[in-house]
Amino acid sequence: MHWILQTNLFQEAEWARLVEALERFDLPYSVHKVIPFVGELEPVPVLQATKAVCFGSYSMRHSAKAYGWTPGVYDLFDQDFLVQKAAWGDRMLNADSRVMAFQDVRLDGPTFLRPIDDSKYFAGRVFDADEFEAWRQRVCDLDEDYGTSLSPTTQVQLCTPKTIHAEYRFWIAGGEIATKSLYKLGSRVVYASDVDDRLDQFVLQAVADWQPHRAFVIDVCDTPEGPRIVEINTINSAGFYAGDVQRLVEALEDLER
């Protein structure tokens, strides 16, 4: 495939690992500026292969669709929390979430909140009641623009905070684990490639039951109740952490042959 890369998006070390892998396999790639939100690419890509895949901001899906690239972006926008819950049920960490419009949310204590889809409107986290209400009023009453398309009608999920021992990212291609990484240990950010096999088995069983796309990222965590699914993410826009980028490139190339 021809790899379409967004400049200045990845951390320096991640960028180096990706480019090194592409050059090692002699795969064509080009680097582009991505115009925020609309996803237009500068300069206009000139493909050196019949297929193209994008790696960069989520807005690149607009260009991938406009150019008709295959696979372009493995887009998960329609596979929101409600779809995931229907497939995975109580294996979801936040299966107890309520879903409502952003403008209707009222908190009475610390609450986890995030959009129900992979929209990047805002990052999911625990909000205090006063902090959230001040933000809600700025968005809904003052109509402040945060440059993310967040609106009063954006659908969000909210639930009680959970105890999490560690968090892991798995990159899935064709129903198999391409690579994996620890990215959080307790409250500390820790990147490591050593992941307990029981997490592998949990992920493979979930993927065997349902997949949101041919390639995607699934984040899972270890809790007092055992492994749980945190969320899924579009593989084209997910950070690499301590994942093996070479194995990821190989897996996606094999998937599209």
Side-chain angles (χ1 to χ4, degrees):
M1 295 185 291
H2 185 111
W3 290 65
I4 307 290
L5 310 182
Q6 179 178 354
T7 185
N8 297 328
L9 179 74
F10 300 102
Q11 296 180 6
E12 185 175 347
E14 292 182 329
W15 175 268
R17 286 155 55 203
L18 177 56
V19 169
E20 180 182 358
L22 296 177
E23 293 181 346
R24 180 179 297 119
F25 295 129
D26 197 25
L27 295 171
Y29 70 92
S30 52
V31 181
H32 306 266
K33 177 182 178 182
V34 178
I35 298 176
F37 316 123
V38 296
E40 293 182 6
L41 304 178
E42 297 180 349
V44 174
V46 177
L47 299 190
Q48 301 175 47
T50 56
K51 290 188 175 185
V53 64
C54 301
F55 265 75
S57 67
Y58 188 54
S59 63
M60 294 178 81
R61 73 190 191 280
H62 299 305
S63 279
K65 183 177 181 180
Y67 286 113
W69 290 331
T70 300
V73 170
Y74 300 96
D75 194 358
L76 300 182
F77 188 81
D78 293 332
Q79 309 301 328
D80 65 23
F81 166 74
L82 295 176
V83 176
Q84 296 168 48
K85 183 181 176 182
W88 286 324
D90 289 342
R91 283 176 288 185
M92 300 289 296
L93 174 69
N94 295 320
D96 61 333
S97 291
R98 295 176 291 146
V99 174
M100 64 185 68
F102 184 85
Q103 63 189 357
D104 296 330
V105 175
R106 302 293 187 276
L107 306 184
D108 55 11
T111 303
F112 177 82
L113 191 80
R114 61 153 288 166
I116 67 169
D117 50 45
D118 190 21
S119 57
K120 314 301 182 188
Y121 294 144
F122 64 91
R125 66 177 179 86
V126 175
F127 289 86
D128 290 329
D130 292 343
E131 172 197 18
F132 176 79
E133 181 58 22
W135 181 35
R136 189 194 67 80
Q137 289 182 10
R138 291 197 300 272
V139 172
C140 299
D141 300 337
L142 301 180
D143 197 28
E144 290 191 10
D145 183 2
Y146 285 83
T148 63
S149 299
L150 174 65
S151 75
T153 58
T154 296
Q155 294 293 296
V156 299
Q157 63 182 94
L158 56 154
C159 62
T160 56
K162 307 297 191 301
T163 298
I164 297 176
H165 300 316
E167 297 179 55
Y168 307 84
R169 173 158 291 178
F170 286 78
W171 289 260
I172 306 298
E176 300 294 332
I177 298 171
T179 186
K180 56 191 176 180
S181 173
L182 168 72
Y183 65 88
K184 200 170 184 181
L185 193 59
S187 60
R188 296 184 297 121
V189 173
V190 177
Y191 297 163
S193 57
D194 186 20
V195 177
D196 194 317
D197 287 347
R198 67 189 178 85
L199 276 301
D200 290 24
Q201 296 306 311
F202 175 79
V203 167
L204 288 172
Q205 183 58 63
V207 168
D209 292 341
W210 178 71
Q211 296 182 66
H213 214 307
R214 296 167 62 239
F216 62 100
V217 162
I218 181 170
D219 291 346
V220 301
C221 63
D222 210 359
T223 77
E225 291 74 37
R228 293 292 185 270
I229 298 165
V230 178
E231 62 184 9
I232 57 175
N233 285 286
T234 302
I235 201 168
N236 311 74
S237 304
F240 298 130
Y241 302 146
D244 188 325
V245 177
Q246 179 173 311
R247 289 183 60 188
L248 175 60
V249 169
E250 284 184 294
L252 293 180
E253 285 286 330
D254 288 344
L255 184 66
E256 297 301 335
R257 282 198 173 93

